[in-house]
């Protein structure tokens, strides 16, 4: 909320400098399922209207207050939501247009959006609303061919977890027609150009604290010739729009103040299951002494300290790749959980960050093999541009 007035100032500045600005949001605009956040969401939506977003994707949180609430937002403020795989569970109809095409600078831009079925849609009005989510891959394979005929440039707004999204883009293949994918959901920013196959993958998420700017040079037939990524953060130093700041301050003063206390990370954990646990490196060390010795001298064993040295150990954007199981059920959290002890000690890139839950230990050789494909989750082109499996493995081999 604090970022709103600064966000407005940034957009004004960009619009003053650039032509053909196309403003999109991947979705998950709305707050948690409680009355206070509902009120805050109503306030935010009203203020967001003036920022001039053209199209929104749909995240599972956007149905937190029920479909009627969202329909009101569409009607009252003219917000355009798009989604290709979320259905009314009773009638089986799609809730939103599967894609939207807009003209900009003589270019037809197609925007399509999907939501991962692993993010459960639950409303405060759950007694009446009933939703189903199709497989994102099926939905995209169905609608992309149509959209390719109608659009020169295609942008996918994806509310899909990082690993699942990478796999989805690979599965869709080089000819999917998707030029740009905006990754929603995970609290993550890609600060440099990040590509999966032909697709430019961008992200600037975390509770409205960032905005991502993608400058592209595009030919008349929709070929992206050049792309530059800029991530804008909204810290105290960023300029703001005074009237908006005043309205935000007033709203905050009239409603519950934010607490500065360290609380649990409030984010989705799309992977894993309640019945599994991470046991921590000290358990593995009991039997695997030589591996543990090799591990202890690698940078993985200090990855959390690296963040602490920068004062970023509570920043979920950073923590995600510097601990064990941030996006997993029962993975790292900064506060202890009495029912699943030890979660607050899962710091650093320990054994299970690559090998998976210790409770799944015996997999007859498959376990070691599976760890090979874990690297890319963290060593993506934005955070580890020089990554090469053979070279990197040789530095940490055990
Ligand atoms: C959970 C996220 C995560 C996974 C999975 C992961 N890494 Fe890392 N890796 C990191 C982080 C974070 C650092 C930086 C640690 C630091 O410097 O504090 C790092 C650092 C490294 C380094 C040290 C680079 C240097 O400067 O010497 C190597 C080598 C490496 N990783 C190899 C791998 C390999 C190979 C895999 C897969 C088998 C892998 N990593 C899996 C997060 C991860
Ligand atoms: C997507 C995973 C990912 C995220 C998110 C991430 N890191 Fe890292 N980080 C890595 C990996 C992988 C390396 C090792 C890179 C290498 O050596 O190739 C690394 C290395 C580092 C290093 C040591 C090398 C260097 O560049 O100085 C620092 C410091 C660091 N990260 C800080 C941060 C901070 C601060 C954030 C949040 C803004 C962050 N990281 C978010 C994966 C990540
Ligand atoms: C950065 C990711 C990563 C971390 C951290 C990591 N491993 Fe591994 N581990 C791997 C990979 C990848 C392989 C498979 C290498 C291969 O077969 O080429 C492997 C292989 C193994 C093997 C099988 C060795 C063999 O000869 O079959 C054991 C046992 C093992 N790891 C235990 C551990 C333990 C214990 C820790 C923590 C002390 C740990 N690993 C930390 C990635 C990791
Ligand atoms: C009680 C002793 C014991 C503990 C504790 C233990 N292991 Fe093992 N582990 C073994 C033995 C014995 C094997 C070899 C037999 C086998 O493959 O199951 C093995 C095999 C492995 C392998 C290779 C097997 C495969 O399927 O690829 C990996 C990887 C591994 N352990 C990782 C870990 C990790 C990570 C931890 C901590 C969460 C851990 N182990 C804890 C005894 C243990």
């Amino acid at each position: 909320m604090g970022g709103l007035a600064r966000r407005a100032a940034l957009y004004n500045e960009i619009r003053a400098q650039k032509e053909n600005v196309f403003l999109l949001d991947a979705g998950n605009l709305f707050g948690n399922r409680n009355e206070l956040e509902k009120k805050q969401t109503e306030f935010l939506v009203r203020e967001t209207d003036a920022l001039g977003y053209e199209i929104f994707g749909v995240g599972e949180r956007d149905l937190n207050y029920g479909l009627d609430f969202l329909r009101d937002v569409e009607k009252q403020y003219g917000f355009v939501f798009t989604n290709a795989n979320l259905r009314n569970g009773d009638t089986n109809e799609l809730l939103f247009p599967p894609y939207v095409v807009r003209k900009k600078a003589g270019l037809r831009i197609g925007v399509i959006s999907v939501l991962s079925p692993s993010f459960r849609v639950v409303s405060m009005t759950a007694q009446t609303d009933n939703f189903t989510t199709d497989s994102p891959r099926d939905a995209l394979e169905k609608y992309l061919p149509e959209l390719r005929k109608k659009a020169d440039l295609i942008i996918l707004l994806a509310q899909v977890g990082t690993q699942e999204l990478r796999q989805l883009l690979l599965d869709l293949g080089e000819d999917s027609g998707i030029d740009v994918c905006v990754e929603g959901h995970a609290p993550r920013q890609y600060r440099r150009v990040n590509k999966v196959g032909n697709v430019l993958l961008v992200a600037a998420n975390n509770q409205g604290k960032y905005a991502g700017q993608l400058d592209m040079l595009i030919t008349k037939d929709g070929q992206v010739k050049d792309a530059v990524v800029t991530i804008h953060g909204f810290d105290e130093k960023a300029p703001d729009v005074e009237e908006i700041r005043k309205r935000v301050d007033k709203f905050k003063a009239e409603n519950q103040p934010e607490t500065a206390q360290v609380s649990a990370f409030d984010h989705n954990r799309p992977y894993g299951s309640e019945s599994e646990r991470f046991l921590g490196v000290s358990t593995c060390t009991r039997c695997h002494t030589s591996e543990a010795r090799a591990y202890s001298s690698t940078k993985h064993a200090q990855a959390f300290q690296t963040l602490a040295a920068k004062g970023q150990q509570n920043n979920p954007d950073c923590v995600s790749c510097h601990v064990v199981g941030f996006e997993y059920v029962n993975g790292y959290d900064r506060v202890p959980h009495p029912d699943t002890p030890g979660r607050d000690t899962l710091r650093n890139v320990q054994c299970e960050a690559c090998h998976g839950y210790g409770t799944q230990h015996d997999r007859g050789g498959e376990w070691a093999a599976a760890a090979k494909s874990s690297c890319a989750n963290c060593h993506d082109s934005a955070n580890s541009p020089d990554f090469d499996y053979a070279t990197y493995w040789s530095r940490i081999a055990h």
Side-chain angles (χ1 to χ4, degrees):
M1 262 234 313
L4 201 62
R6 298 189 181 107
R7 184 176 289 272
L10 173 72
Y11 294 173
N12 289 343
E13 191 193 319
I14 292 175
R15 287 202 174 95
Q17 288 169 359
K18 311 255 171 184
E19 283 175 71
N20 305 319
V21 176
F22 192 54
L23 196 55
L24 297 170
D25 189 292
N28 267 348
L29 227 58
F30 294 4
N32 291 330
R33 289 186 298 276
N34 63 55
E35 287 302 333
L36 174 67
E37 295 221 0
K38 185 175 178 187
K39 210 167 154 195
Q40 193 168 309
T41 299
E42 283 164 348
F43 174 82
L44 271 178
V45 165
R46 211 179 319 132
E47 294 290 339
T48 300
D49 183 32
L51 301 184
Y53 284 90
E54 308 220 13
I55 299 163
F56 292 91
V58 180
E60 76 287 358
R61 297 171 80 105
D62 297 327
L63 288 154
N64 272 353
Y65 310 121
L67 186 58
D68 288 346
F69 181 94
L70 193 148
R71 292 287 186 234
D72 273 352
V73 170
E74 289 180 313
K75 243 188 261 139
Q76 224 180 318
Y77 301 103
F79 280 24
V80 177
F81 289 94
T82 179
N83 170 282
N85 70 334
L86 190 60
R87 293 177 188 278
N88 176 322
D90 301 319
T91 64
N92 212 31
E93 279 166 22
L94 281 178
L95 297 178
F96 303 94
Y99 53 78
V100 178
V101 180
R102 287 285 161 85
K103 273 217 154 146
K104 201 113 230 171
L107 208 63
R108 298 167 307 165
I109 305 178
V111 180
I112 185 162
S113 165
V114 289
L115 171 67
S116 166
S118 59
F119 304 132
R120 270 200 331 132
V121 179
V122 184
S123 317
M124 270 163 80
T125 51
Q127 313 85 293
T128 49
D129 286 336
N130 168 14
F131 309 110
T132 59
T133 320
D134 300 341
S135 127
R137 182 174 174 181
D138 290 352
L140 288 169
E141 282 176 346
K142 173 162 184 215
Y143 291 112
L144 279 172
E146 283 177 38
L147 187 54
R148 281 200 293 267
K149 290 189 199 128
K150 297 180 187 170
D152 308 305
L153 184 87
I154 297 182
I155 301 176
L156 169 65
L157 304 178
Q159 288 292 342
V160 178
T162 302
Q163 301 172 41
E164 195 187 338
L165 179 58
R166 188 170 293 273
Q167 193 56 51
L168 174 66
L169 293 175
L170 293 174
D171 289 345
L172 290 170
E174 301 267 296
D175 303 323
S176 71
I178 300 169
D179 296 286
V180 177
C181 174
V182 182
E183 175 180 339
H185 229 277
R188 173 162 294 170
Q189 307 87 43
Y190 298 118
R191 293 177 182 272
R192 279 174 271 190
V193 168
N194 188 30
K195 278 198 144 190
V196 177
N198 296 331
V199 181
L200 258 168
L201 183 62
V202 295
N205 309 318
N206 185 17
Q207 306 180 338
K209 286 192 219 140
Y210 299 94
Q213 178 181 344
L214 177 63
D215 288 297
M216 290 191 288
L217 187 65
I218 305 169
T219 63
K220 285 205 171 67
D221 58 347
Q223 304 272 35
V224 179
K225 284 291 171 218
D226 192 19
V228 179
V229 174
T230 315
I231 301 290
H232 301 277
F234 300 122
D235 60 19
E236 285 85 53
K237 281 171 276 168
D240 65 6
V241 174
E242 197 184 347
E243 310 135 55
I244 301 180
R245 176 170 29 94
K246 283 189 175 150
R247 285 198 295 272
V248 171
D249 289 347
K250 181 160 176 281
F251 180 87
K252 279 192 186 161
E254 286 167 2
N255 292 277
Q256 208 170 288
E258 286 172 15
T259 51
Q261 223 178 6
V262 171
S263 52
F265 284 122
D266 170 31
H267 67 86
N268 270 288
R269 294 181 182 269
Y271 309 112
S273 101
E274 283 298 345
S275 58
E276 305 291 346
R277 298 275 187 279
F278 294 104
L279 309 176
V281 55
S282 56
T283 304
C284 318
T285 304
R286 276 190 234 148
C287 305
H288 295 287
T289 40
S290 67
E291 284 87 358
R293 203 176 313 115
Y295 162 78
S296 66
S297 65
T298 65
K299 294 209 170 161
H300 285 148
Q302 294 155 28
F304 198 81
Q305 186 48 44
T306 302
L307 287 185
K310 302 226 168 224
Q312 298 300 317
Q313 70 280 13
N314 283 325
N315 183 349
D317 305 331
C318 305
V319 168
S320 56
C321 299
H322 288 243
V323 299
V324 179
F326 191 69
E327 292 181 299
Y328 284 75
V329 177
N330 296 328
Y332 176 74
D333 199 348
R334 60 185 161 192
V335 297
H337 290 250
D339 298 342
T340 48
R343 289 177 58 181
D344 53 328
T345 64
L346 295 172
R347 298 170 171 176
N348 302 319
V349 183
Q350 300 178 16
C351 324
E352 291 161 292
C354 301
H355 286 293
Y357 289 115
T359 43
Q360 293 181 339
H361 186 269
D362 185 16
R363 287 199 228 142
E366 284 169 37
W367 218 29
K372 288 186 196 172
S373 55
S374 71
C375 322
N377 299 331
C378 304
H379 288 267
D380 56 30
S381 63
N383 289 285
S384 190
D386 305 325
F387 185 78
D388 161 69
Y389 182 81
T391 322
Y392 270 60
W393 173 250
S394 71
R395 290 193 214 153
I396 60 156
H398 53 264

